[in-house]
Amino acid sequence: MAVLAVAFGFAVFIAAFCRLADVNVTPFRAESGWFIARAWATGERMDFIQPFLLKAYNGHYTPLFFSLEFLQARLFGANALLWFARQMLVLGLLATSLSLLCRSACAFGDLSRGTVRTLSATFPLIFILQPTVLELAAWPFMAAQLLCLACASMSACHALQLIRSSCRRDATLSLAWAYGSMHLFGIGLTFSATALVVITAIIWAQRLPARFLAPVAAFSAATCIHAVLMTTNGSPSLAEPQTLSTSLERFGALYMGSVQSGARSLWANGRFPWPNPATYDVDAVYGIALMTCMVTVFGVLLWRARKLQRPDLLFVLVIIALPALTLPVYCSLIIFRLHTVADPNAIAPYLFGTRYLVFPAFFLFTALLVALPPAARLLGRGLAVLSAMLATGAGAATIVFFASVATLWPYMNVKPSEEWNKVVSQARTERASLGYVVDRPMDALDPELRRNLSEFRGLLDAEMDCQECVRFSPR
């Protein structure tokens, strides 16, 4: 109950901040609008949701998330306030998971109880109160990414607790949270794979009993089965696959670009230069070199942790596992997805799209916890003050950013409730004067909503408090 209370407190605070920053949740954006249209359509709704239960969608096999999203689309409809509350609760859960991760990391530093509480309250906000995260929260369908990150945080939290407790329950919970992320978003595969490696590494380094490997074996099987289900997209592509050298170049460039753009997404407020394919060869060299260094550091830490039996080394190992192990797997999944795409700009969207960059940004942000123990020795209670200052600065900068968001994300200025009310009002007028409603595109609700008004017939019927009374005439 205490954790739920913390999550609710975070949600209320973030909701107040979003109102202050004028962040609008857009329930009709892209897939979210599509789900609302189909959830309110007349006829058999299972015909729409069934394919999501049986096979992957764009590489994501997440029937649980799709089912819940479809159910909420039916319950919430066009009610922007309910969607806003839902998204704030999602952010509250993410903030709580980061708070618990921070608290677990604080156990490895000599910090007072008050300092730990302040850090646990402010550290998550440095990440949450960033335009990249809030822009995702404004799109209901992106709750999948945010909840996926929450699961990853909880997995890392229990991995840190395992170092201190040597309890199999923590190993199982770490693996369970990581595997659970696969049921929210396809990138969860990277978290589950990383957790399997990290928990096995801790078991080996601390010379724990063989019975600790039982949950590792169980979740390894579950992860592999789920990974196979993620490939059930349908008909395979007939295009020629790219050469190995091209894939390696893309991988290295994507790795290096993800590090750079992930950092920029945290501190540069979403302004990214368009990637230049002409420099991918150079970026690839830097990327592969950086990845090799990170993996080597992980291996050295593991060896020394086993030899010296030092928990502080395992702490660093767990924290750097996200940039060292998860990021390479993340990049590999993307390159595999693009292996039949010949376009030289194929990886470009992954270097500036917030829905993608939130992952490398998260990897880099959580890696900051490595500095917590030495910072605690140097700054003491001043570390809490520093964290509070960073959270305040992040919030202030984000408010300024959203004041001029029209230059970068114009759709964030759309007031969904007002626009939908205009649509309903015009439909009423047309039905009264013409006897029918003129069908038209719904791009006024969102530029990415490639749907016509006729697809929202069921929702319009509900708004007009009638049943199948709206008749359309082509425009």
Side-chain angles (χ1 to χ4, degrees):
M1 290 299 294
V3 172
L4 292 178
V6 171
F8 183 75
F10 271 123
V12 171
F13 177 84
I14 296 167
F17 176 86
C18 287
R19 288 305 191 198
L20 179 64
D22 198 25
V23 176
N24 301 304
V25 172
T26 53
F28 288 99
R29 187 173 175 194
E31 288 97 334
S32 295
W34 180 34
F35 267 55
I36 290 175
R38 297 308 301 265
W40 285 85
T42 56
E44 184 56 55
R45 298 184 184 92
M46 280 301 296
D47 291 342
F48 171 75
I49 197 63
Q50 188 174 13
F52 294 96
L53 306 180
L54 301 178
K55 63 181 182 179
Y57 171 72
N58 285 344
H60 308 284
Y61 182 70
T62 55
L64 176 62
F65 173 78
F66 287 133
S67 299
L68 291 175
E69 195 70 6
F70 189 68
L71 174 63
Q72 289 171 92
R74 177 66 186 181
L75 292 174
F76 297 169
N79 193 318
L81 182 60
L82 290 178
W83 285 111
F84 178 83
R86 200 286 296 267
Q87 293 303 93
M88 294 304 104
L89 288 174
V90 168
L91 287 177
L93 291 173
L94 175 56
T96 302
S97 67
L98 286 170
S99 178
L100 293 172
L101 175 59
C102 180
R103 185 175 289 270
S104 296
C106 286
F108 291 85
D110 186 17
L111 295 168
S112 67
R113 183 174 298 179
T115 302
V116 172
R117 287 176 178 173
T118 303
L119 283 171
S120 300
T122 56
F123 177 78
L125 297 178
I126 301 173
F127 181 74
I128 298 293
L129 302 184
Q130 294 291 338
T132 301
V133 177
L134 295 182
E135 192 265 347
L136 283 183
W139 183 358
F141 216 69
M142 295 299 105
Q145 276 96 322
L146 300 174
L147 291 173
C148 184
L149 295 180
C151 288
S153 298
M154 292 303 300
S155 176
C157 175
H158 284 286
L160 291 178
Q161 292 176 13
L162 172 63
I163 297 171
R164 297 174 61 84
S165 69
S166 297
C167 176
R168 190 169 71 164
R169 176 176 176 273
D170 285 318
T172 303
L173 286 174
S174 177
L175 294 170
W177 279 109
Y179 173 68
S181 68
M182 296 184 69
H183 291 270
L184 297 165
F185 199 67
I187 296 300
L189 174 60
T190 67
F191 296 125
S192 189
T194 300
L196 289 167
V197 173
V198 168
I199 296 302
T200 303
I202 294 174
I203 293 171
W204 182 77
Q206 293 193 318
R207 297 183 170 91
L208 297 176
R211 60 187 175 85
F212 277 72
L213 293 174
V216 174
F219 282 104
S220 294
T223 299
C224 290
I225 293 171
H226 202 105
V228 172
L229 292 173
M230 287 168 58
T231 64
T232 59
N233 262 350
S235 303
S237 173
L238 300 178
E240 285 291 326
Q242 298 299 294
T243 63
L244 179 61
S245 60
T246 299
S247 296
L248 283 175
E249 181 180 296
R250 285 180 174 181
F251 172 85
L254 180 61
Y255 186 96
M256 195 67 222
S258 295
V259 171
Q260 294 170 332
S261 297
R264 288 178 64 88
S265 69
L266 286 174
W267 315 119
N269 288 323
R271 291 178 172 84
F272 311 107
W274 184 267
N276 182 9
T279 65
Y280 283 173
D281 52 351
V282 177
D283 294 340
V285 174
Y286 279 105
I288 292 175
L290 179 59
M291 181 198 69
T292 303
C293 289
M294 294 297 294
V295 173
T296 302
V297 169
F298 182 90
V300 171
L301 284 171
L302 175 59
W303 181 262
R304 287 181 61 81
R306 177 179 170 85
K307 182 179 179 180
L308 303 176
Q309 289 297 297
R310 286 177 53 183
D312 59 323
L313 294 180
L314 284 177
F315 162 75
V316 177
L317 179 141
V318 170
I319 296 301
I320 71 164
L322 285 173
L325 302 181
T326 312
L327 185 55
V329 181
Y330 163 83
C331 293
S332 298
L333 286 177
I334 294 173
I335 298 305
F336 175 76
R337 183 177 182 178
L338 301 175
H339 75 285
T340 58
V341 180
D343 185 358
N345 290 305
I347 67 172
Y350 299 92
L351 297 176
F352 61 80
T354 54
R355 74 184 81 173
Y356 309 114
L357 287 182
V358 71
F359 291 102
F362 174 80
F363 303 154
L364 296 175
F365 178 75
T366 52
L368 294 175
L369 289 172
V370 167
L372 198 151
R377 289 192 294 269
L378 290 172
L379 300 175
R381 293 181 179 178
L383 183 59
V385 176
L386 176 61
S387 180
M389 291 173 61
L390 287 173
T392 303
T398 298
I399 289 174
V400 173
F401 170 79
F402 277 111
S404 59
V405 74
T407 60
L408 183 63
W409 295 330
Y411 51 82
M412 292 291 289
N413 287 327
V414 173
K415 308 289 185 183
S417 295
E418 294 179 9
E419 292 298 329
W420 175 249
N421 288 338
K422 290 178 184 177
V423 170
V424 174
S425 177
Q426 186 174 353
R428 281 199 177 100
T429 301
E430 291 173 351
R431 181 167 173 261
S433 60
L434 303 175
Y436 59 84
V437 176
V438 177
D439 196 13
R440 53 189 175 275
M442 287 289 93
D443 50 3
L445 293 174
D446 183 83
E448 295 185 29
L449 180 62
R450 299 178 179 88
R451 305 286 160 183
N452 290 330
L453 180 57
S454 57
E455 297 183 57
F456 294 88
R457 182 197 302 266
L459 190 57
L460 270 180
D461 284 339
E463 293 283 359
M464 297 184 183
D465 197 22
C466 62
Q467 188 173 1
E468 297 185 21
C469 61
V470 177
R471 184 170 63 88
F472 283 90
S473 177
R475 187 177 181 181

